[in-house]
Amino acid sequence: MLCSKALSTRIFLFLVVLVIGGFQVASTDDFVRQAIGRLQNFYIGSFPEKSYIHTDKAFYAVGETIWLKAYIVEASQHRPDTMSKVLYVDLIAPDQRVVAQRVLRLTQGTAAADFELADSLAQGMYTVRAYTNWMRNFSPDYFFSKRLPVWQAAAPATATDARRVAKAITRKAAQAPKPKTDVQFFPEGGNLVAGLPTVVAFKATDEYGRGITVSGQISDDQGQAAGTFKSLHAGMGTVLLTPQPGRQYKAAVVLPGGARAEYPLPAVAASGFVLKVTQTKEFVYVGVQRQTAAGNAPAENVTLLAHVRGNVAYAANGQLTGSEGYAARIPKAKFPTGVAHFTLFDGQGVAQGERLAFIDAQPGLQVRITPDKATYAPREKVNLTVAVTDGAGQPVATQLSLAVTNALATGTNEAPQTTILTHLLLTSDLQGYVENPGYYFQNKNPETDQALDHLMLTQGWRRFVWKEILTDKKPPRPFALEQTLSVGGQVVRPNEKAAGVSQLTIFQAGGRGMTIANTDTDGSFVVGGFQGKDTARVVVQARKERGGSNLLIKLNPRWPEVTALTWPLPAEPQPAVTAYLQQSQKQQKAERQYRADTAKTIMLKGVTVAGRKPAPRPDARRIYGQADVVLRTDDIPGSSSFFSVLQLLQGRVAGVQVSGSAPNFQVQIRGGTSISGSNSPLFVLDGIPVDIDAVNTIPVTDVETVEILKGPSAAIYGSRGAGGVIAIFTKRGNSNYDYSKTPAPGIATAMLPAYYQAREFYAPRYETAARPAQQRPDYRSTTLYWAPTLRTDATGQAQVSFYCSDDASTFRVAVEGLSNAGTPGVGTGEFRVGN
């Protein structure tokens, strides 16, 4: 060992490590075991998930379709998630509006879907966001988010139009406010400690979080220069600084365009720890230095722990004496590939330093795409072989998605490449937006390795706070792991305090049944089992076991708020994008003229449509035409003073007899008798049959109308309506109701979405020349083929066949996927279609 005195450590789990310096064995390893146990319990108890969306292209034209494949994995091992079986995918416009949503039923952690980009959509940077219900218990940073530029397919028609557009762009740019910039400094390990040399990383960004080029100088509060710096990739870089006691430091930064600004550095601590991490090809070196106050400081127990996504690779405890430090050499083979967290704890179990490092330890999947020819004729059959092997060359069972697109549609500076590899191994474990993550995985060299380390220094993040983990603090998680669509919320009293255990009755529209359940002790509840075959209206009623309805139901919001970060598109697209948009315009024009569904489709000539005011939409809660009697609560003076709807009916409707007193009313409609001999009418609440007890709990203030059906009018309900029907329609059940109004006591209505059925990608077949389809032009030039559910066989291979179009272009094949063991992989190939 390279040290001045004998040292030893206790190593946990897998690792044998070389320790250098004054690091001595501690008398107890209780804290190490506690920290490891609590970390593992966090991943078991919180079951963090990751979502990913593979899209067929990196950017789109208005009028096209986004074809996508969704993947859900558990966050630790990246195995396909078998817990959550419902995924929500949103398409968010540049103005932060959700313009389309998909609810997907997951099978083995995957699902296919699509978004049609309507002609009416504005050009701009759109965002595809994907999340499970369970992921909403945590920060929205856990949601997968991918930015997709969407361009107008049509370019200016004339040179005059082009000049007019250029002048408008110039005028808008001149009127735009001066862009905001931000420069932040991050000491390695988290601390600036007096007298200890420290690598200080920095990141300079514009108002949209994109890196900018800067340079500058660091000086202290006495004007003494301490170092110079210049950004490298994406506005990031480092500078070596040895802070002096009692000094404060600032950076004079030269921004793009020559503007200058000053930014403060973190404060300098008189004592503390500095944590350093460096890497070689085979090892990770971790160094710790400690600065103590004046005089001889007592020995201190410390612990160093390293993990990747909760998989602990290294843990050791010991004692530091004086101001001595130590260094550890850790074989990379002990780490899974990904973002490693190195945390230093002091003797009180408080995290004093943390450093992130990307460990490229285990070989990933090798995905090879081999076409049977390099060049094809138009409409010729293409046969692709996709082969997947591991680092040892052994075949791997993998689920894949494959896109064949025009080579012009590959990633550009406007659409940075995000793949399942970059997301699962890198960006999903970092905070905030990561610009062009594909850069760190392409053309691996010392320059990209350095840039990746700068990213680790400036964008650190973890899914938990150590203080909360070590105290076993469990935050509330109101959003359930959904095996099916669900409704969740909490029952509270009017003062917003938890109501304790309450009884729930859940009614589903369309006569699909009734469910009885109890809330938890804090009033929370989740009710699942909804099949999602179509949209469904659900009514939830709450009451105490001993009676009483003075309760409020707070349903969990169905959709989370939009927090997408986006930015404007460039004033003009790149030449490759312009060429692609011309291809897209040609294809869309042909598709409008020759529909792809049948050879018999023809285009109609223009017609004139005379408009008229549309009739009001019928209320979906009513299955009948006209009721015999309609009472509107707003038309009855003092209606809010009545105890219940049934009391409101007393003496107001001929033939309807309401007897008894609150809350035990009885109702009979004259002349009505069911086959069971009962004279009681059928009660219907927002289209859902309920019992009289449910009606007694509905406040009059929440009722919009009460409608009475007698005799023949009630026949539409069959034998159930033989005693007549009393239909109650609440304000909240109305599709136009403003839910920002005061909640209704004891009852709540929810609309459940239906699962989305993905469309099948149209791919014509040209085996027989006599087929009518041969007579139609085939201008598929943007996305030639899309296969979202590809799987390799026992040999690690999959065969894919499709036909070329009439377009003579170069096409790119992109494959992404995940093995059953959770290893991601990507592959690309290329072929040409020539005349």
Side-chain angles (χ1 to χ4, degrees):
M1 301 179 70
L2 304 176
C3 59
S4 59
K5 59 182 180 179
L7 300 168
S8 62
T9 64
R10 179 170 305 221
I11 308 302
F12 291 85
L13 301 180
F14 314 109
L15 200 55
V16 176
V17 60
L18 177 63
V19 179
I20 307 174
F23 193 53
Q24 300 177 344
V25 176
S27 59
T28 177
D29 55 19
D30 289 346
F31 176 76
V32 176
R33 290 177 178 172
Q34 179 193 24
I36 294 173
R38 294 289 169 80
L39 178 63
Q40 294 173 340
N41 288 340
F42 168 80
Y43 274 84
I44 294 172
S46 64
F47 195 77
E49 300 173 315
K50 295 181 180 181
S51 55
Y52 173 73
I53 298 293
H54 175 203
T55 58
D56 60 319
K57 294 191 290 285
F59 61 87
Y60 294 84
V62 170
E64 293 184 339
T65 297
I66 300 174
W67 300 96
L68 62 89
K69 166 76 170 288
Y71 295 83
I72 296 295
V73 301
E74 51 87 15
S76 179
Q77 302 292 336
H78 290 162
R79 292 189 177 93
D81 188 5
T82 58
M83 297 293 287
S84 288
K85 294 189 180 298
V86 183
L87 180 71
Y88 301 87
V89 184
D90 302 333
L91 180 63
I92 302 171
D95 60 1
Q96 305 294 284
R97 289 182 303 110
V98 177
V99 295
Q101 293 174 317
R102 300 289 183 257
V103 181
L104 307 181
R105 187 200 303 267
L106 296 167
T107 302
Q108 295 183 335
T110 66
D114 53 83
F115 287 111
E116 288 190 80
L117 298 173
D119 293 340
S120 58
L121 290 180
Q123 174 176 290
M125 187 71 74
Y126 285 70
T127 301
V128 173
R129 179 177 70 169
Y131 52 92
T132 65
N133 194 54
W134 181 251
M135 292 169 69
R136 295 176 63 188
N137 291 307
F138 311 96
S139 167
D141 288 327
Y142 292 103
F143 298 175
F144 173 78
S145 184
K146 183 176 186 177
R147 291 153 188 83
L148 294 174
V150 175
W151 296 89
Q152 289 288 345
T158 66
T160 301
D161 291 335
R163 287 192 295 270
R164 184 167 58 251
V165 171
K167 288 181 179 179
I169 292 172
T170 302
R171 184 170 58 254
K172 185 176 181 180
Q175 296 172 349
K178 186 177 181 180
K180 300 177 182 179
T181 59
D182 184 36
V183 182
Q184 297 186 53
F185 292 85
F186 306 88
E188 183 177 16
N191 304 311
L192 277 178
V193 181
L196 297 182
T198 304
V199 171
V200 178
F202 63 88
K203 185 170 187 176
T205 59
D206 63 13
E207 58 189 313
Y208 303 113
R210 298 173 297 185
I212 58 175
T213 300
V214 297
S215 61
Q217 177 175 289
I218 295 176
S219 59
D220 63 18
D221 50 1
Q222 294 183 345
Q224 183 68 35
T228 60
F229 58 89
K230 184 178 182 180
S231 62
L232 299 175
H233 175 70
M236 297 179 292
T238 58
V239 58
L240 183 63
L241 176 67
T242 303
Q244 298 305 308
R247 299 274 72 83
Q248 296 178 350
Y249 292 86
K250 62 183 178 181
V253 182
V254 180
L255 302 171
R260 296 175 179 271
E262 289 188 352
Y263 297 89
L265 270 66
V268 178
S271 61
F273 300 87
V274 170
L275 181 64
K276 300 180 180 181
V277 175
T278 57
Q279 298 186 53
T280 62
K281 184 176 181 180
E282 296 181 353
F283 295 95
V284 178
Y285 292 88
V286 182
V288 176
Q289 287 184 287
R290 183 176 74 151
Q291 183 69 277
T292 61
N296 294 324
E300 184 171 7
N301 294 325
V302 293
T303 300
L304 180 66
L305 187 147
H307 73 94
V308 177
R309 303 185 299 272
N311 302 291
V312 179
Y314 172 82
N317 60 9
Q319 281 188 341
L320 288 177
T321 58
S323 297
E324 294 180 339
Y326 76 92
R329 187 182 70 175
I330 310 173
K332 283 187 174 180
K334 301 303 180 181
F335 293 84
T337 296
V339 178
H341 297 244
F342 296 85
T343 307
L344 180 70
F345 299 92
D346 63 17
Q348 286 71 47
V350 177
Q352 292 292 344
E354 185 165 76
R355 169 70 147 92
L356 271 61
F358 187 85
I359 309 297
D360 191 0
Q362 308 294 339
L365 297 181
Q366 304 298 313
V367 181
R368 296 179 177 83
I369 304 167
T370 307
D372 58 343
K373 297 174 63 176
T375 303
Y376 298 87
R379 305 199 179 193
E380 185 176 358
K381 188 176 184 179
V382 177
N383 297 301
L384 296 179
T385 299
V386 180
V388 182
T389 58
D390 60 17
Q394 297 301 308
V396 179
T398 313
Q399 50 181 329
L400 305 163
S401 42
L402 176 146
V404 183
T405 59
N406 195 302
L408 296 172
T410 57
T412 67
N413 290 337
E414 302 156 17
Q417 281 290 342
T418 296
T419 67
I420 193 170
L421 187 72
T422 65
H423 180 68
L424 293 187
L425 299 183
L426 180 65
T427 55
S428 60
D429 291 319
L430 295 178
Q431 184 179 26
Y433 172 67
V434 176
E435 186 176 359
N436 194 2
Y439 169 83
Y440 305 105
F441 291 83
Q442 299 169 353
N443 304 319
K444 295 284 288 182
N445 55 48
E447 180 180 344
T448 56
D449 288 343
Q450 182 185 46
L452 181 55
D453 199 50
H454 291 168
L455 183 68
M456 297 296 102
L457 287 164
T458 58
Q459 222 150 342
W461 184 45
R462 59 171 176 257
R463 293 177 175 269
F464 54 86
V465 176
W466 271 112
K467 183 178 180 180
E468 296 178 355
I469 291 293
L470 294 175
T471 57
D472 204 22
K473 182 179 180 181
K474 294 185 170 97
R477 296 182 180 125
F479 298 97
L481 272 165
E482 284 188 319
Q483 296 278 311
T484 61
L485 290 170
S486 66
V487 174
Q490 186 183 25
V491 179
V492 299
R493 300 187 183 279
N495 60 6
E496 296 290 325
K497 292 185 178 180
V501 177
S502 302
Q503 185 183 78
L504 299 177
T505 306
I506 300 94
F507 307 93
Q508 188 172 354
R512 299 177 185 176
M514 178 180 71
T515 302
I516 304 295
N518 288 331
T519 68
D520 292 335
T521 55
D522 63 351
S524 62
F525 66 91
V526 175
V527 180
F530 301 101
Q531 297 305 309
K533 294 181 180 179
D534 51 30
T535 56
R537 184 187 304 275
V538 177
V539 175
V540 181
Q541 176 199 353
R543 71 183 88 175
K544 300 299 290 181
E545 293 181 357
R546 297 182 179 180
S549 59
N550 194 21
L551 302 172
L552 295 177
I553 300 176
K554 299 171 63 176
L555 294 179
N556 294 333
R558 172 59 54 184
W559 312 106
E561 294 182 359
V562 174
T563 57
L565 171 67
T566 187
W567 50 82
L569 291 177
E572 295 184 4
Q574 296 180 4
V577 176
T578 300
Y580 172 85
L581 295 177
Q582 294 171 352
Q583 292 273 41
S584 178
Q585 186 180 24
K586 178 182 177 182
Q587 177 178 330
Q588 291 186 47
K589 182 178 180 181
E591 289 174 348
R592 288 191 293 268
Q593 187 172 0
Y594 304 95
R595 290 178 57 86
D597 56 353
T598 171
K600 298 180 181 179
T601 301
I602 59 174
M603 287 291 291
L604 295 175
K605 294 181 179 180
V607 295
T608 301
V609 179
R612 66 177 62 180
K613 184 177 180 180
R617 291 183 59 188
D619 193 328
R621 298 174 292 174
R622 291 178 176 86
I623 63 174
Y624 52 87
Q626 182 67 39
D628 294 307
V629 179
V630 177
L631 293 180
R632 300 184 183 279
T633 56
D634 290 344
D635 296 337
I636 300 175
S639 60
S640 60
S641 64
F642 288 90
F643 177 82
S644 75
V645 174
L646 300 182
Q647 186 184 25
L648 182 72
L649 288 177
Q650 281 184 313
R652 294 186 182 276
V653 180
V656 177
Q657 180 179 351
V658 180
S659 59
S661 58
N664 300 312
F665 289 109
Q666 298 297 321
V667 183
Q668 180 180 347
I669 297 179
R670 187 181 307 157
T673 304
S674 70
I675 58 176
S676 64
S678 172
N679 294 329
S680 298
L682 172 68
F683 294 96
V684 178
L685 175 63
D686 285 335
I688 303 173
V690 297
D691 59 22
I692 193 171
D693 290 337
V695 174
N696 275 322
T697 64
I698 303 171
V700 176
T701 54
D702 192 49
V703 174
E704 186 174 56
T705 62
V706 181
E707 303 184 0
I708 312 298
L709 282 73
K710 307 176 183 178
S713 300
I716 194 171
Y717 287 95
S719 60
R720 296 181 302 166
V725 176
I726 297 178
I728 302 167
F729 296 93
T730 66
K731 299 172 182 177
R732 284 155 185 79
N734 192 318
S735 58
N736 297 320
Y737 179 71
D738 181 2
Y739 279 85
S740 64
K741 296 180 180 179
T742 305
I747 193 167
T749 302
M751 289 298 298
L752 289 179
Y755 289 122
Y756 181 74
Q757 299 297 321
R759 294 183 299 151
E760 184 176 354
F761 183 84
Y762 173 72
R765 303 179 67 86
Y766 298 121
E767 299 100 329
T768 305
R771 288 175 61 92
Q774 289 287 114
Q775 308 305 317
R776 297 199 309 270
D778 184 353
Y779 290 137
R780 287 174 297 135
S781 58
T782 54
T783 297
L784 185 63
Y785 190 68
W786 167 250
T789 56
L790 196 63
R791 288 184 175 274
T792 59
D793 57 21
T795 66
Q797 295 188 355
Q799 306 297 323
V800 182
S801 299
F802 53 90
Y803 289 83
C804 298
S805 66
D806 296 334
D807 183 59
S809 299
T810 299
F811 288 90
R812 177 178 181 266
V813 184
V815 174
E816 301 188 23
L818 189 71
S819 73
N820 294 337
T823 305
V826 298
T828 58
E830 196 173 84
F831 64 86
R832 175 163 179 77
V833 178
N835 293 318

